[in-house]
Amino acid sequence: MDFISLIIFIGIIQGFLVGFLLLTINRGNIKSNRRLGLLLIISSFSIIGFEMDLTGTHKLFPFLIGVPQTVVFLFGPLFYYYVNSLTLKNFSVSKKQLLHLIPFFAFVIYRIPFYL
């Protein structure tokens, strides 16, 4: 493992740890902390795809090819929900705001033949 891969791997681990910490903490703005934790975990998961390509481990885990690229479609909606939970009192995700998740689910449906 070269130096750049090591730095990326440390960043991935740090993202997962802070994300899980934010998901489990019960102080402050709990909903915002959970949304930020989920955003950190998903961003760390998307970086795994880059790391797998860099180190060649995608050959060992071929079922994970393309999964990290799929979660990229969750960045926008999760960041939107996070900012709204910080700026609006008593924010909850409505049915209309769930429409922001359509590109993610459309891409998952598009990728189903690849995984089957």
Side-chain angles (χ1 to χ4, degrees):
M1 182 179 281
D2 63 341
F3 182 70
I4 298 296
S5 295
L6 180 66
I7 296 296
I8 293 171
F9 184 71
I10 290 171
I12 291 168
I13 297 299
Q14 182 180 13
F16 278 120
L17 289 176
V18 173
F20 284 119
L21 179 74
L22 285 170
L23 285 175
T24 58
I25 197 167
N26 290 324
R27 294 184 299 181
N29 192 343
I30 296 170
K31 288 184 179 181
S32 295
N33 287 342
R34 289 187 178 153
R35 288 184 176 109
L36 181 60
L38 189 61
L39 187 62
L40 280 172
I41 289 170
I42 287 177
S43 64
S44 296
F45 189 71
S46 71
I47 296 171
I48 287 175
F50 175 72
E51 180 71 11
M52 287 175 64
D53 288 341
L54 190 64
T55 59
T57 55
H58 63 280
K59 296 172 187 171
L60 298 174
F61 306 104
F63 57 90
L64 289 178
I65 295 174
V67 173
Q69 290 79 15
T70 305
V71 298
V72 170
F73 289 100
L74 292 174
F75 288 161
L78 285 176
F79 187 69
Y80 174 69
Y81 301 150
Y82 171 66
V83 170
N84 278 338
S85 68
L86 286 176
T87 57
L88 303 173
K89 284 189 173 185
N90 300 325
F91 171 75
S92 62
V93 180
S94 67
K95 290 180 182 180
K96 183 178 179 183
Q97 291 169 335
L98 287 175
L99 295 175
H100 293 288
L101 296 173
I102 289 175
F104 169 73
F105 289 115
F107 192 71
V108 167
I109 291 169
Y110 171 74
R111 298 288 290 192
I112 286 174
F114 173 76
Y115 292 113
L116 295 179

